[in-house]
Amino acid sequence: MRFAVVQFGGSNCDLDTQYVLQEVCGIDTDLVWHRDGLKRHYDAVIMPGGFSYGDYLRAGAIAARTPVMAEICRHATQGKLVLGICNGAQTGSEAGLVPGTFTINAYPKFISREVHLRVENTSSPFTSHYRKDEVIQVPIAHKEGRYIAGDAVIRRLNQENRVAFRFCDRDGTISEAANPNGSIENITGVLSKEGNVLLMMPHPERASEKVLGSEDGRRIFDSMIAHIEEHA
Amino acid sequence: MLIFISTRSLWYMLPDEDFAMLREVLRREPSDLEVACFENLWSEHCSYRSTRALLRTLPTTGRNVLLGPGDDAAVVRFSEECAIAIGMESHNHPSYVDPYDGAATGVGGIVRDILSMGARPIALMDPLYFGPLGEEKNRYLFEHVVAGISNYGNCIGVPVVRGETVFDPSYSGNPLVNVVCVGVVHPERFITARVKVPGSRLLLVGSSTGRDGLGGASFASRDLSEDSEAADRPSVQIGDPYTEKLIIEAVLEMAATGSVLSCRDLGAAGLAGASSEMASTFGAVIHADRIHLREEAMNPVEIMLAESQERMLLEVAPGDVLRMGAIAEKYELQWSDIGEVIEESRYVVMFHGEVVCDLPMDLLVDGAPPCAWERKPYSAEKPFARPAGSLKDLALRVLSHHDVARSDWIYEQYDKDVQLRTVSFINDAAVLRLKDGALVFSCGCNPRHIYLRPYEGTANSVLENAANLACLGAEPLCIVNCLNFASPVHPEIYWQVEQSVLGLGDMARTLDVPVVGGNVSLYNESDEYGTQIKPTPTIGMAGKGRVVKWVPPPDGCNLAVVGADTPSFGGSVLDAVTGCGGAAPPVADAGTVSAVRDLVREGRIVTATDLSHGGLCAALAKMAPAARIELGGDPVADLFSESYGRFLVAYRDESALRGLEYRVIGETGGADLRIGCSGREVRITGKELDAALSSLTAVMRY
């Protein structure tokens, strides 16, 4: 099994994500410089957090138009796993991997905070290690993380069980007060139609070791590994 | 033959006596570029003309110091496998003229200083000193400085893990934006900023050069006049954190090859500053026409002195030039081979085959004649007048002062977690895990105390940083500082500078911690507001400890104040909110600090926090907001005195405190903060505490 963490110019969670996969989860993980492309078979591709191209124009807008993105989309079309974290999620939505957009926070400042998430979907390749409605703690760190989409899209996402995570309070209640960035219906993790792409604003790699305060995020990677093993 | 380029009179700000001296030493008229080089390199910002002799009194050596002051950054051994590179800078004047870009480029500059040692930057700290937020202009400056730091630091992926904010009317019109950066590097593989081998090539990597920031070094050495915003706007550079991030990765990749002989970032006085200082061990020939530019028709003075950001200068062997160039290109960075190191101690600049600068190296980098300033002591302490108002009212006013209030509005804008090292963040000091231990940081000083007693105040500020580290059980490794003062033209100000440096040095010797680097920022005055800043010798301290997180004590712990109190109100937050006056604290006993550090390290007490801004009142609000307290003495002194070397500790076994001077004051738990004194109880509810401590957020988040 082998994962790829794609590095765009300005990615800055690339080394963190590789470290967690390799040292904490024990999975061979390559750092792939975007200009080198996906040169071998990867079971999963991760687009890490950061500020690709300095967030110039719009967060993720330029990275989504690099040649490697076409390869990542092809990888997704083949049913293989793609995880976009923070800037990776912004990039993935710019590339149309899931519907909707991550845009500037309702209070238009960068926000770095521990938040609680309610796990809405436990059947996807990314979330099978969670219990339904489980409350997990994972940090966020973004300025353009407010998820928005049209009513029809939101309805479809809900019907198709494609919302992976919502911001909630400590007890799992979904409220305005527990919504740090103004996302519609507190949505902060969205799955593709086939379920093999997850785009999320919170940083699971920052919640993968007890010493850093939470191990709740690690189960996303563990779920992915289990899924790949089952389908090998 | 020397070519003279006609430039605007803007350049000729070199003092007449310097100009006369130059003419005499060179025995000819200096060229325009030469004058400009001296103008910048002999400025206070680059040459420390006013402070050099004083700075020599500081203790700068120690068994762990691998490289002390004088390079881009200091290098201090952390373990067998790891050293830290550490530096501190100010970006005060640019941050007033253009707060967002001024603060951002301040971060960029210090990060490149660390990078030029071949170290990966892993953490930033930002001490900020501003005018009161009641004033709209101060809010504007503060909001955009925080945004500038946030955007730049977040984008390059270096976490801001610590800071300090002090609000005082003396900073209206001249806020201070200081920044500490720390990096990690193998103790045997760091790079210095001094050329090593004649014949090697000098590569300029990074952004193209434009006319931005021309004359920035000399700009920083003047006070801010009323029209500075408009007239000096071209002196402020615009940062590009995206390019900085690419430079970080590219330079680290180059450094990892072992082929980078020396490296320096381009900061004050641009390429002229960087190349002349870097080449001072030998000499250099720079070809100003080989530099990648972004503007047309730039003359050599502009090219050599522009302060375009995100540029690095590297010395490499001729055979390694293409290999290093290829690494730059991988990261889509431009680069130029702009000159070579020569044996002779001369600094030569060529432009299209003509010599436009030819100077003896030592004159340029070490020749600035020191300035002698007069000094005159003053006394500003007022007798203590007991403030009116109930104890509760005073407590809430102190807690809602912006120095004491919660600063989450600021810190939530900084990505504190990137790089996965931040273990503890909130109280006293930041803890970052490294492979073999924890790096623990603190920064700050208390300008109101220092104003009243510059020597004692500065010594105590050093001790206070050590006390912050002690709360996490960590031992100081090294100190960096940023000496921010008003103009040394005033004898009282130069006395402040002298007393502060002496206080800094003496406490550093007492603690046996070397002062490994720093920066001097003078002329912090404002014509617009008629203000001189309070003396602000900010301290940054790095220490070594275990990987622990600061956690508030659970209910049912006993509370005690450890350390001797000499009731001191002068310069306290109580003084700031009531004008009560009083004496500033005397120099505290360093013994208590090391004793508390040992107790924390040995796990013999549950939690400790040191008493600083806001005294015991602030410490209780932060560490034990629900507790029952019984005060024995004068409640105003007990709650608001700000003498140093004291801690609020939570413990279960009182025998841990044996041998220390301490006073048991109560226990944690229950609802609200209940403070009893002489049979009466003051009750501050959780809601009231929260409202007071949210004052900064309330004023900034509109």
Side-chain angles (χ1 to χ4, degrees):
Chain A
M1 190 184 310
R2 188 171 285 271
F3 279 39
V5 173
V6 177
Q7 301 173 290
F8 297 100
S11 294
N12 66 26
C13 302
D14 45 342
L15 299 176
D16 296 355
T17 307
Q18 185 207 29
Y19 158 81
V20 166
L21 285 164
Q22 198 130 309
E23 307 299 326
V24 180
C25 303
I27 295 298
D28 291 329
T29 305
D30 293 346
L31 288 169
V32 176
W33 180 241
H34 72 100
R35 289 212 294 193
D36 295 341
L38 300 174
K39 285 199 182 115
R40 57 182 294 177
H41 168 85
Y42 290 106
D43 298 285
V45 173
I46 299 185
M47 292 183 282
F51 286 72
S52 58
Y53 302 92
D55 274 1
Y56 299 144
L57 188 57
R58 280 189 311 275
I62 300 176
R65 284 151 183 88
T66 54
V68 76
M69 205 59 221
E71 295 181 56
I72 295 171
C73 291
R74 236 180 348 263
H75 175 94
T77 317
Q78 291 162 4
K80 288 185 282 189
L81 303 185
V82 175
L83 172 62
I85 302 168
C86 199
N87 190 243
Q90 294 159 340
T91 305
S93 80
E94 280 282 342
L97 286 171
V98 301
T101 297
F102 296 95
T103 189
I104 195 127
N105 296 345
Y107 180 61
K109 301 268 182 204
F110 192 92
I111 182 165
S112 164
R113 189 189 289 176
E114 290 291 334
V115 294
H116 292 97
L117 307 177
R118 195 171 78 188
V119 182
E120 304 285 288
N121 169 316
T122 52
S123 58
S124 82
F126 304 91
T127 53
S128 62
H129 282 211
Y130 295 106
R131 294 185 314 276
K132 172 93 176 107
D133 293 338
E134 184 177 350
V135 178
I136 62 173
Q137 195 182 323
V138 183
I140 54 167
H142 59 248
K143 188 173 171 183
E144 297 179 43
R146 175 161 62 113
Y147 181 73
I148 55 168
D151 292 348
V153 170
I154 299 292
R155 216 173 308 124
R156 199 169 72 235
L157 291 178
N158 283 323
Q159 277 163 6
E160 295 172 357
N161 194 19
R162 286 166 58 189
V163 174
F165 307 108
R166 289 182 209 270
F167 294 118
C168 65
D169 65 14
R170 193 178 297 274
D171 308 317
T173 308
I174 310 293
S175 67
E176 199 51 47
N179 188 347
N181 60 16
S183 293
I184 290 184
E185 293 190 8
N186 291 36
I187 295 171
T188 194
V190 182
L191 292 155
S192 64
K193 196 165 173 41
E194 292 71 28
N196 64 320
V197 178
L198 170 64
L199 304 185
M200 63 186 294
M201 289 312 295
H203 284 270
E205 82 281 10
R206 297 180 181 186
S208 292
E209 292 171 280
K210 196 154 182 267
V211 66
L212 297 182
S214 168
E215 294 178 285
D216 290 347
R218 182 186 160 167
R219 280 182 280 161
I220 291 179
F221 305 121
D222 290 339
S223 300
M224 293 169 76
I225 293 162
H227 173 88
I228 293 163
E229 275 167 353
E230 274 165 39
H231 293 78
Chain B
M1 190 194 81
L2 285 160
I3 296 283
F4 291 81
I5 306 113
S6 124
T7 49
R8 289 159 296 168
S9 58
L10 173 73
W11 300 111
Y12 296 102
M13 291 187 298
L14 195 68
D16 289 345
E17 56 273 24
D18 287 0
F19 200 86
M21 178 189 151
L22 266 186
R23 213 182 269 148
E24 198 183 304
V25 175
L26 294 175
R27 275 185 269 170
R28 60 173 168 79
E29 282 295 311
S31 74
D32 291 26
L33 177 56
E34 289 169 343
V35 172
C37 281
F38 283 111
E39 215 269 304
N40 278 281
L41 286 161
W42 284 14
S43 69
E44 187 63 42
H45 190 81
C46 292
S47 72
Y48 303 108
R49 298 171 72 160
S50 301
T51 50
R52 223 183 303 162
L54 274 177
L55 296 176
R56 285 208 189 100
T57 66
L58 294 173
T60 58
T61 54
R63 65 196 153 86
N64 291 317
V65 180
L66 301 175
L67 188 67
D71 213 289
D72 271 6
V75 181
V76 179
R77 184 185 291 279
F78 179 80
S79 66
E80 282 306 303
E81 294 291 305
C82 180
I84 60 166
I86 184 166
M88 187 164 189
E89 261 291 356
S90 62
H91 232 214
N92 304 334
H93 296 72
S95 300
Y96 182 68
V97 176
D98 179 349
Y100 181 90
D101 292 302
T105 52
V107 173
I110 192 72
V111 164
R112 287 193 303 281
D113 281 340
I114 298 307
L115 177 64
S116 71
M117 313 311 288
R120 176 174 286 280
I122 62 163
L124 292 161
M125 296 193 278
D126 286 286
L128 305 174
Y129 304 83
F130 276 72
L133 294 177
E135 203 171 311
E136 187 179 353
K137 180 149 184 186
N138 291 332
R139 282 201 301 280
Y140 153 79
L141 291 168
F142 186 61
E143 173 170 11
H144 289 90
V145 161
V146 171
I149 293 167
S150 154
N151 190 56
Y152 204 100
N154 296 348
C155 190
I156 61 175
V158 181
V160 178
V161 297
R162 193 79 208 142
E164 160 173 90
T165 39
V166 171
F167 297 93
D168 183 273
S170 73
Y171 302 107
S172 287
N174 199 128
L176 303 181
V177 177
N178 290 182
V179 53
V180 181
C181 186
V182 180
V184 285
V185 61
H186 191 281
E188 274 131 42
R189 272 180 247 139
F190 66 87
I191 297 167
T192 73
R194 295 284 181 264
V195 295
K196 304 284 182 307
V197 188
S200 50
R201 307 298 309 175
L202 294 171
L203 305 189
L204 182 65
V205 176
S207 289
S208 52
T209 299
R211 290 187 175 89
D212 23 358
L214 280 169
S218 54
F219 162 67
S221 302
R222 280 180 291 138
D223 52 355
L224 286 169
S225 60
E226 204 161 338
D227 59 349
S228 63
E229 281 183 73
D232 287 327
R233 194 63 61 88
S235 273
V236 179
Q237 316 84 339
I238 307 293
D240 174 8
Y242 169 61
T243 300
E244 179 101 344
K245 171 67 174 149
L246 296 175
I247 286 184
I248 292 173
E249 300 306 328
V251 169
L252 290 176
E253 195 167 322
M254 292 177 195
T257 65
S259 300
V260 178
L261 300 171
S262 63
C263 181
R264 203 182 191 292
D265 94 295
L266 274 68
L271 183 56
S275 60
S276 59
E277 286 193 48
M278 180 162 154
S280 61
T281 36
F282 290 95
V285 176
I286 306 291
H287 295 273
D289 48 17
R290 296 188 190 164
I291 289 149
H292 49 283
L293 303 176
R294 75 167 78 112
E295 290 185 62
E296 283 179 18
M298 287 178 71
N299 67 44
V301 179
E302 293 171 327
I303 292 169
M304 294 304 293
L305 287 166
E307 293 187 359
S308 303
Q309 297 290 294
E310 290 88 25
R311 299 179 299 163
M312 299 288 283
L313 190 60
L314 296 94
E315 179 198 7
V316 303
D320 291 326
V321 169
L322 291 178
R323 204 153 50 95
M324 295 303 119
I327 293 173
E329 284 162 20
K330 168 183 166 183
Y331 291 96
E332 296 169 356
L333 292 169
Q334 290 181 275
W335 64 282
S336 313
D337 177 348
I338 64 157
E340 69 176 319
V341 179
I342 58 172
E343 193 92 43
E344 220 180 324
S345 184
R346 282 167 63 206
Y347 181 69
V348 180
V349 180
M350 310 281 292
F351 190 64
H352 296 299
E354 308 280 1
V355 176
V356 289
C357 173
D358 184 352
L359 294 170
M361 194 54 104
D362 48 352
L363 180 66
L364 187 58
V365 294
D366 291 320
C371 301
W373 301 105
E374 272 179 58
R375 66 204 88 175
K376 187 174 156 201
Y378 63 83
S379 169
E381 285 177 342
K382 291 185 300 178
F384 175 64
R386 208 174 175 79
S390 71
L391 203 59
K392 179 168 175 172
D393 173 53
L394 293 176
L396 291 175
R397 283 168 72 191
V398 164
L399 294 175
S400 55
H401 188 280
H402 292 152
D403 291 11
V404 178
R406 273 197 292 264
S407 44
D408 42 2
W409 179 85
I410 307 166
Y411 292 104
E412 283 198 345
Q413 294 186 50
Y414 302 148
D415 184 349
K416 65 185 195 306
D417 294 323
V418 65
Q419 298 196 26
L420 302 185
R421 290 192 185 88
T422 314
V423 172
S424 195
F425 171 70
I426 308 287
N427 277 287
D428 294 295
V431 178
L432 267 67
R433 64 169 174 169
L434 297 182
K435 271 204 187 94
D436 34 17
L439 202 47
V440 185
F441 299 116
S442 167
C443 66
C445 69
N446 191 323
R448 283 187 290 266
H449 287 157
I450 297 167
Y451 172 67
L452 295 177
R453 294 193 188 183
Y455 176 89
E456 290 86 345
T458 307
N460 280 329
S461 289
V462 175
L463 186 66
E464 210 260 316
N465 280 284
N468 283 333
L469 263 50
C471 296
L472 278 304
E475 196 163 358
L477 262 181
C478 62
I479 291 168
V480 289
N481 64 81
C482 197
L483 303 175
N484 309 274
F485 290 87
S487 170
V489 162
H490 316 295
E492 293 82 2
I493 300 296
Y494 196 68
W495 179 72
Q496 287 176 350
V497 177
E498 178 200 66
Q499 293 296 306
S500 287
V501 173
L502 295 176
L504 164 60
D506 284 349
M507 186 53 83
R509 272 181 288 269
T510 300
L511 297 173
D512 193 20
V513 186
V515 180
V516 295
N519 166 249
V520 177
S521 172
L522 302 178
Y523 307 98
N524 290 291
E525 306 190 351
S526 164
D527 289 349
E528 186 181 345
Y529 286 80
T531 46
Q532 299 175 343
I533 62 155
K534 289 211 165 85
T536 316
T538 322
I539 307 300
M541 192 180 276
K544 189 174 177 177
R546 286 179 309 148
V547 180
V548 286
K549 188 178 170 71
W550 192 97
V551 282
D555 289 354
C557 288
N558 296 306
L559 294 170
V561 174
V562 174
D565 183 25
T566 314
S568 309
F569 298 104
S572 65
V573 176
L574 185 72
D575 188 11
V577 298
T578 66
C580 65
V587 177
D589 173 23
T592 312
V593 173
S594 49
V596 169
R597 178 182 69 224
D598 292 344
L599 290 177
V600 173
R601 193 156 37 189
E602 292 157 13
R604 299 183 63 203
I605 53 179
V606 179
T607 309
T609 192
D610 88 309
L611 305 192
S612 60
H613 299 275
L616 176 62
C617 180
L620 284 169
K622 287 178 182 177
M623 188 171 112
R628 194 189 50 76
I629 305 298
E630 191 61 43
L631 299 175
D634 169 12
V636 173
D638 284 349
L639 282 176
F640 305 115
S641 166
E642 292 186 13
S643 63
Y644 290 82
R646 295 188 301 147
F647 297 83
L648 172 62
V649 302
Y651 63 95
R652 293 189 196 284
D653 178 5
E654 196 172 330
S655 69
L657 305 179
R658 205 172 289 151
L660 288 168
E661 181 164 348
Y662 70 97
R663 198 149 55 91
V664 177
I665 59 161
E667 61 183 292
T668 58
D672 307 333
L673 182 56
R674 288 149 294 146
I675 302 170
C677 51
S678 3
R680 283 180 307 136
E681 188 186 77
V682 174
R683 179 182 283 258
I684 306 175
T685 67
K687 219 172 180 170
E688 288 167 329
L689 269 185
D690 199 56
L693 293 173
S694 308
S695 66
L696 191 144
T697 304
V699 72
M700 292 309 298
R701 183 161 177 162
Y702 45 81

